[in-house]
Amino acid sequence: MDRTMTYAVIAGSGSFLPERVVSNDALAAELAERGIETSDQWIVERTGIRQRHLAERGVTTSALATQAARHALEDAGVTAADVDLIIVATSTPDFVFPSTACLVQAEIGAKGAAAFDVQAVCSGFVYALTTADSFVRAGRSKCALVIGAEVFSRILDWNDRGTCVLFGDGAGAVVLKASDEPGIIAAQLNADGSQTHILCAAGNVAYGEVTGDPFLRMDGQAVFKQAVTVLDKSARKVCEDAGIALSDVDWLIPHQANVRILNFLARKLDMPLERVIVTVDTHANTSAASVPLALDAARRDGRVKAGHTVLLQGVGGGFTWGSVLAKM
Ligand code: ACO
């Protein structure tokens, strides 16, 4: 460890899920009214998802992000006035512009703090955290708020049972502070833009109307295979870069898409399932929000403790993926 270096430490975390909980049974009943067949059994067996939180109409990504941010600030024992950087990872921003981060900045009163969004779909939080870590290490930020927030329910085709049962809405956040001790030990990000077609929402606002397809489309099996392969590689690479063994990682906290992906990954990495944080059963896939939601849940229930080494992993549309290794 180089004592002359500045590191970024995760000083606090917070999360927020919309009040409305929709169980698999309730969703199946809603879809049945439109002639679409699904069941709790199918969803649990294929994904491990039992319920999702769905934001009421009019509740925005920035509203969820603001609540998660407030909880993270409180947990870290800092105020909005201390924050000099806000990065929001989202693929469901309130507007084309301004960024959701600017809306959160105004809402919490972090006057003057730099604010921008990062768009890397389900890898968004890991991308945003790596970006904020770079700012802190370079001395350009002393206290950063990194948020993953989504209202994915707005971009789902509720007539497509292959996707609409998989996602939920929510937000998670962490506060990163400059410190002489690590902190974030290593990070690595990747993308393969030739794989855009396996997971995309290929629509846009142009000429005053929506052009293209405004709904999320996915080749589920291709995404499944890619996710397991790249998360395995990325976990090994980030540990190698940090010079630590995978067996020294206390907690694996991957993107919460599907319990079967998590089980496959754990098996490939030889990581006991007891050391993998799983929250997808309670909130489904919340895209950029899923990793901070899982981290916050595990910190609050006492599994992740100070001094533990955690491996945070994102994977999603783009295709994008990445890992952050951090000492808590
Ligand atoms: N309820 C009941 N039946 C369904 C449903 C549903 N909700 N959805 C699909 N089916 C049916 C299909 O129509 C198909 O029927 P058929 O055999 O009569 O044609 C059958 O189930 C099998 O469909 P598959 O798509 O082959 O099912 P699979 O076992 O691949 O499971 C799933 C689908 C769950 C999407 C899986 O591919 C998967 O988990 N992929 C990973 C994708 C993922 O997690 N994406 C999240 C976003 S990406 C990310 O976050 C990284």
Side-chain angles (χ1 to χ4, degrees):
M1 190 195 323
D2 183 348
R3 299 242 168 233
T4 61
M5 273 186 70
T6 300
Y7 296 93
V9 288
I10 296 175
S13 62
S15 51
F16 187 76
L17 289 161
E19 211 174 306
R20 185 171 161 235
V21 179
V22 179
S23 68
N24 289 345
D25 279 332
L27 181 58
E30 252 178 62
L31 293 176
E33 280 177 25
R34 295 214 298 277
I36 299 161
E37 199 188 319
T38 189
S39 65
D40 175 59
Q41 192 191 353
W42 192 95
I43 300 170
V44 172
E45 273 178 18
R46 304 284 177 127
T47 72
I49 294 164
R50 294 184 181 278
Q51 60 177 40
R52 71 281 300 135
H53 291 247
L54 298 180
E56 298 292 348
R57 201 169 261 273
V59 173
T60 56
T61 293
S62 69
L64 304 182
T66 297
Q67 296 292 349
R70 288 194 172 121
H71 292 150
L73 292 175
E74 194 186 330
D75 186 47
V78 298
T79 67
D82 299 317
V83 172
D84 54 26
L85 171 67
I86 301 173
I87 308 181
V88 174
T90 187
S91 299
T92 47
D94 292 18
F95 305 123
V96 173
F97 68 84
S99 68
T100 304
C102 282
L103 302 174
V104 173
Q105 191 241 40
E107 220 27 72
I108 64 173
K111 234 179 167 185
F116 61 92
D117 289 359
V118 159
Q119 216 278 39
V121 204
C122 305
S123 310
F125 181 76
V126 165
Y127 266 68
L129 192 58
T130 304
T131 306
D133 175 52
S134 304
F135 270 72
V136 173
R137 288 169 88 105
R140 297 212 163 93
S141 167
K142 294 218 165 348
C143 183
L145 193 49
V146 185
I147 307 167
E150 304 277 14
V151 284
F152 250 52
S153 58
R154 310 272 154 83
I155 57 164
L156 298 176
D157 178 353
W158 290 96
N159 292 310
D160 174 12
R161 67 178 180 172
T163 55
C164 74
V165 302
L166 303 176
F167 296 91
D169 303 330
V174 299
V175 172
L176 268 194
K177 281 178 77 176
S179 161
D180 295 336
E181 308 268 334
I184 291 178
I185 308 163
Q188 64 115 211
L189 304 175
N190 296 100
D192 178 359
S194 70
Q195 299 290 317
T196 49
H197 57 285
I198 65 172
L199 182 57
C200 57
N204 200 353
V205 179
Y207 310 110
E209 56 186 44
V210 173
T211 61
D213 184 347
F215 295 125
L216 178 151
R217 304 292 176 201
M218 178 179 75
D219 175 344
Q221 289 182 5
V223 168
F224 195 108
K225 280 187 210 140
Q226 276 279 356
V228 176
T229 306
V230 299
L231 289 176
D232 172 56
K233 268 196 198 151
S234 179
R236 291 177 194 281
K237 174 80 170 75
V238 80
C239 285
E240 194 187 309
D241 289 352
I244 76 158
L246 262 166
S247 53
D248 291 333
V249 171
D250 295 296
W251 297 103
L252 177 63
I253 312 184
H255 169 49
Q256 305 288 312
N258 183 317
V259 166
R260 280 165 60 226
I261 292 179
L262 303 189
N263 289 347
F264 263 86
L265 177 66
R267 205 174 314 146
K268 280 190 110 174
L269 293 173
D270 212 11
M271 177 80 72
L273 282 176
E274 304 75 59
R275 286 180 18 226
V276 182
I277 303 296
V278 179
T279 54
V280 66
D281 52 328
T282 61
H283 56 63
N285 183 346
T286 55
S287 188
S290 93
V291 173
L293 277 171
L295 172 65
D296 187 53
R299 285 186 73 239
R300 283 175 197 265
D301 70 20
R303 278 179 292 173
V304 170
K305 294 184 178 32
H308 279 177
T309 300
V310 299
L311 175 51
L312 309 172
Q313 292 201 283
V315 59
F319 210 69
T320 54
W321 64 96
S323 300
V324 173
L325 197 59
K327 204 159 200 66
M328 299 301 294

